[in-house]
């Protein structure tokens, strides 16, 4: 009535303190939850990536020619395990078809080689007994039979190598010494063809593998270079170490192989048009490719500007090579 005002107040200190406590608790809860979520996410990702890495390792092994390997179970759910199982079933089917194809090739080559060998013996007898024109025809027929037998032998060798035969006999091979001996053996051959063979061998380069197959690999590449290189032009044969790999290279100064044809010439019986008039059946590089894959290596056909550069990269035995 006297015009005064009544002010009612309440102490809010407790409320503000409760608010600050709840805010702090919420922030700590969010921080801890975030850290735990990240930790769980990294853990799950690590486990998943580790299992995926095992799958990738199995795939790489299969691509390197170990067709008996299979994908491990991923273990991240039925869907992933079913996927791995289906892929393994597909690999089983592919291997069965490839084995069948190789077996047919080997059987045909083996079965035909026997009558051809008998035919060759009869031609030799005819050559020994006959004379004049019969002798000439027998000599030509013998040469043709020998060429066919060589083709069958190469087919059988490729089938054996592609089937993984010989891997159990792998041991340390002194690649430097082996290729050096091959270079010495082919130097007179190159000289007879009017060509110079240059050999550059780094010492102490070793690989794990089958010595006879690696020698066959180097010989095929060298014969190919000497056959197709230009006259009087040098052919180079080299071995060197590149990190954890050993590199065997053969280079010539011939016409080379067009880039569009390089993936095809490693197939069986494939020949460039200009090579059809020369001796051979188109199996040399196919055998080289099979040997390289058996040893877990890589064959690269490149441009030597001019000519062909063939590089074979193989896993290196570091202990034997001095690390």
């Amino acid at each position: 009535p006297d015009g005064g005002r009544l002010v009612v107040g309440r102490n809010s200190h407790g409320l503000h303190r409760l608010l600050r406590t709840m805010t702090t608790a919420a922030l700590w809860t969010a921080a801890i939850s975030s850290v735990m979520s990240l930790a769980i996410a990294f853990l799950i990702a690590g486990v998943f990536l580790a299992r995926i890495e095992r799958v990738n390792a199995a795939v790489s092994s299969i691509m390197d020619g170990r067709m008996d390997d299979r994908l491990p179970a991923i273990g991240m759910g039925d869907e992933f395990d079913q996927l791995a199982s289906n892929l393994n079933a597909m690999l089983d089917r592919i291997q069965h078809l490839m084995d069948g194809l190789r077996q047919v090739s080997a059987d045909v080559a083996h079965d035909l080689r026997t009558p051809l060998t008998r035919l060759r013996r009869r031609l030799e007898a005819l050559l020994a007994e006959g004379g004049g024109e019969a002798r000439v025809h027998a000599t030509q027929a013998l040469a043709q039979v020998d060429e066919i037998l060589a083709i069958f032998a190469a087919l059988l060798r490729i089938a054996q190598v592609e089937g993984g035969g010989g891997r159990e006999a792998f041991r340390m091979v002194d690649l430097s010494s082996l290729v050096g001996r091959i270079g010495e053996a082919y130097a007179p051959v190159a000289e007879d063809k009017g060509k110079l063979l240059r050999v550059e061998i780094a010492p102490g380069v070793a690989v794990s593998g089958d010595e006879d197959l690696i020698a066959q690999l180097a010989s095929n590449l060298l014969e190919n270079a000497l056959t197709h290189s230009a006259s009087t032009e040098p052919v180079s044969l080299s071995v060197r170490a590149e990190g954890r790999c050993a590199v065997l290279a053969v280079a010539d100064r011939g016409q080379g192989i067009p880039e569009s044809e390089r993936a095809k010439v490693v197939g069986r019986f494939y020949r460039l048009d200009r090579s059809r008039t020369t001796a051979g059946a188109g199996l040399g590089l196919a055998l080289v490719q099979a040997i390289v894959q058996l040893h877990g290596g890589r064959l690269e056909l490149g441009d030597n500007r001019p000519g062909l550069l063939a590089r074979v990269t193989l896993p290196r035995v570091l202990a034997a090579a001095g690390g």
Side-chain angles (χ1 to χ4, degrees), residues 30-106:
I32 293 173
S33 298
S34 298
V35 171
M36 291 182 63
S37 299
L38 288 174
I40 293 173
F42 277 116
L43 178 62
I44 294 175
V47 172
F48 183 74
L49 289 177
R51 297 182 180 183
I52 291 298
E53 185 59 33
R54 291 202 299 269
V55 173
N56 285 332
V59 171
S60 298
S61 177
I62 294 169
M63 291 174 63
D64 288 338
R66 299 175 180 86
M67 296 300 295
D68 292 333
D69 290 351
R70 291 295 179 264
L71 304 182
I74 300 176
M76 298 296 291
D78 293 340
E79 293 82 3
F80 288 102
D81 290 340
Q82 183 64 41
L83 174 62
S85 178
N86 289 339
L87 289 174
N88 285 333
M90 180 183 69
L91 289 171
D92 289 337
R93 179 61 176 165
I94 292 174
Q95 184 181 15
H96 177 72
L97 293 173
M98 291 179 64
D99 289 344
L101 181 60
R102 277 195 289 263
Q103 188 62 43
V104 168
S105 299

